[in-house]
Amino acid sequence: MRTQVAIVGAGPAGLLLSQLLHRQGIESVVLESRDREYVERRQRAGMLEQGTTDVLREAGVGERLDREGLVHHGLELRFGGAGHRVPLTELTGRTVTVYAQTEIVKDLVARRLADGGDIRFEAEAVAVDPSAPSVTFRQGGRTHTLECDFVAGCDGFHGVSRPALPGARTYTREYPYAWLGILADVPPSTEELIYANHERGFALHSLRGPKVSRLYLQVAPDEDLSAWSDQRIWDELAARFATDDDWELTPGPITDKSVTPMRSFVAEPMRHDRLFLAGDAAHIVPPTGAKGLNLAVADVTVLAAALTEYYATGSRTLLDSYSDICLRRVWRAEHFSYWMTTLLHVEPGADEFARRLQRSHLDYVVSSTAASTSLAENYVGLPLEGVAS
């Protein structure tokens, strides 16, 4: 078997890359270890930067996004019993959109299959060769080799692509807290996201649609999920979101709950020979800054442009710059995500001095136009470097 670009992983990064290449007449095969039903049901965050929504529209998968996505022009920082709105659009001229990653994957799978795309589900990649580019995979009890010009490793943190990158240097930071996340069949109690800092810990009120809410609580990394009854979750959320003006959180049936640990991770470079890493295969961010999916989209947008340049002209200029271009954005997003996380979470064992410093920083962010603008610029997403608009 042979193709121009072998893509390992059918998450948003791999599927979007395949779609972008298809629109430029470049062949690809997507290999995914799970079945289609599993891939289309994975729950992930869905806060999209404006640049991400622009890319999805350009890729031909923006119709349902524009119809069902919830456009946001601001967010709320809540602390000390009061809410403080950060007007994202007023400060930056840009918006963010809530649209679940699950729905993006469904849209991309449907589009690729309708266009005759080659997505091979239940095809587990077991080895990647960066120099004589190929991917060895198992499917239907047999082992196959897919030869190609280039390999795109979009197979996540635990995939086989990153270990195939010789000499990569990694940087990691573990955080002393995790998120207990729930999905609930209840209309959101807010029109814009609420990031709450409370002495009991951080909380986030997000949305998944007009009738579904997504909420999170700061908990310990080793938290026992069975200890959290539905009632306990709603009581704790209500306490952390409480305001002096008696704002009310509306509870409802919880349909899903999970505990997610938090880490920062970067592998560099993101390329060796003809193997290119994208998305979680190369970097992980804590979810506070809503950057994970958006970084993956930025990676494959640069990679698609580089491959298009190569096949059109033979030039390797953008291919050779891929890692440097992506890593500049990755490290900016890593810092912003770290900053948002430490600004809003309660450090276990923190003394009163540390708490006062954190409160002072929060007060400054919401009272200074310059500080609010810095938050807003990073939150809505910085311009994409290396890709013509």
Side-chain angles (χ1 to χ4, degrees), residues 235-286:
D235 288 346
E236 189 64 25
L237 285 166
R240 297 189 193 185
F241 285 123
T243 61
D244 294 338
D245 60 2
D246 297 325
W247 180 90
E248 290 189 5
L249 175 69
T250 304
I254 295 176
T255 59
D256 181 76
K257 64 177 76 169
S258 61
V259 173
T260 304
M262 302 175 70
R263 70 160 65 93
S264 298
F265 173 86
V266 179
E268 59 177 50
M270 291 171 57
R271 176 257 179 115
H272 175 74
D273 208 347
R274 290 174 175 253
L275 169 62
F276 297 80
L277 302 183
D280 287 359
H283 41 74
I284 301 287
V285 290

Side-chain angles (χ1 to χ4, degrees), residues 19-224:
Q19 177 66 6
L20 292 171
L21 294 177
H22 165 72
R23 292 173 72 85
Q24 298 298 325
I26 300 169
E27 295 178 353
S28 67
V29 174
V30 181
L31 303 173
E32 168 57 47
S33 62
R34 304 283 193 164
D35 61 29
R36 179 177 178 180
E37 180 182 10
Y38 179 91
V39 167
E40 293 186 339
R41 292 180 62 183
R42 280 185 289 208
Q43 292 292 335
R44 297 289 189 274
M47 177 58 73
L48 310 183
E49 297 174 358
Q50 184 167 321
T52 296
T53 59
D54 291 343
V55 170
L56 291 171
R57 292 186 189 103
E58 292 168 8
V61 288
E63 182 179 349
R64 197 158 69 94
L65 164 65
D66 287 334
R67 187 172 66 248
E68 300 178 12
L70 304 176
V71 178
H72 286 226
H73 299 279
L75 61 81
E76 180 182 320
L77 298 181
R78 185 173 292 188
F79 58 93
H84 308 267
R85 185 174 186 268
V86 178
L88 301 174
T89 304
E90 178 183 322
L91 293 170
T92 68
R94 298 164 73 82
T95 63
V96 291
T97 301
V98 173
Y99 188 66
Q101 180 171 315
T102 308
E103 305 309 312
I104 295 173
V105 168
K106 290 177 183 176
D107 294 343
L108 284 165
V109 169
R111 182 72 271 159
R112 292 303 300 120
L113 295 179
D115 290 343
D118 192 343
I119 307 174
R120 305 193 181 191
F121 294 102
E122 299 180 87
E124 180 187 8
V126 295
V128 172
D129 188 333
S131 300
S134 64
V135 180
T136 302
F137 67 98
R138 292 196 201 89
Q139 186 178 39
R142 299 180 61 189
T143 300
H144 309 269
T145 298
L146 175 62
E147 298 179 347
C148 53
D149 299 331
F150 300 96
V151 179
C154 306
D155 49 345
F157 185 78
H158 299 289
V160 300
S161 296
R162 188 176 66 254
L165 204 76
R169 186 172 181 180
T170 60
Y171 306 84
T172 303
R173 169 161 293 190
E174 303 289 340
Y175 294 85
Y177 27 73
W179 277 9
L180 191 166
I182 66 166
L183 273 175
D185 284 340
V186 59
S189 302
T190 177
E191 295 183 354
E192 296 180 337
L193 272 70
I194 302 173
Y195 288 80
N197 171 270
H198 190 274
E199 62 183 12
R200 301 166 71 106
F202 168 77
L204 170 62
H205 191 325
S206 184
L207 308 83
R208 281 295 178 270
K211 297 181 180 179
V212 179
S213 297
R214 182 72 160 160
L215 301 102
Y216 300 92
L217 286 167
Q218 175 187 341
V219 295
D222 58 353
E223 196 74 29
D224 181 4

Side-chain angles (χ1 to χ4, degrees), residues 5-20:
V5 182
I7 300 172
V8 186
L15 292 168
L16 179 58
L17 177 60
S18 180
Q19 177 66 6
L20 292 171

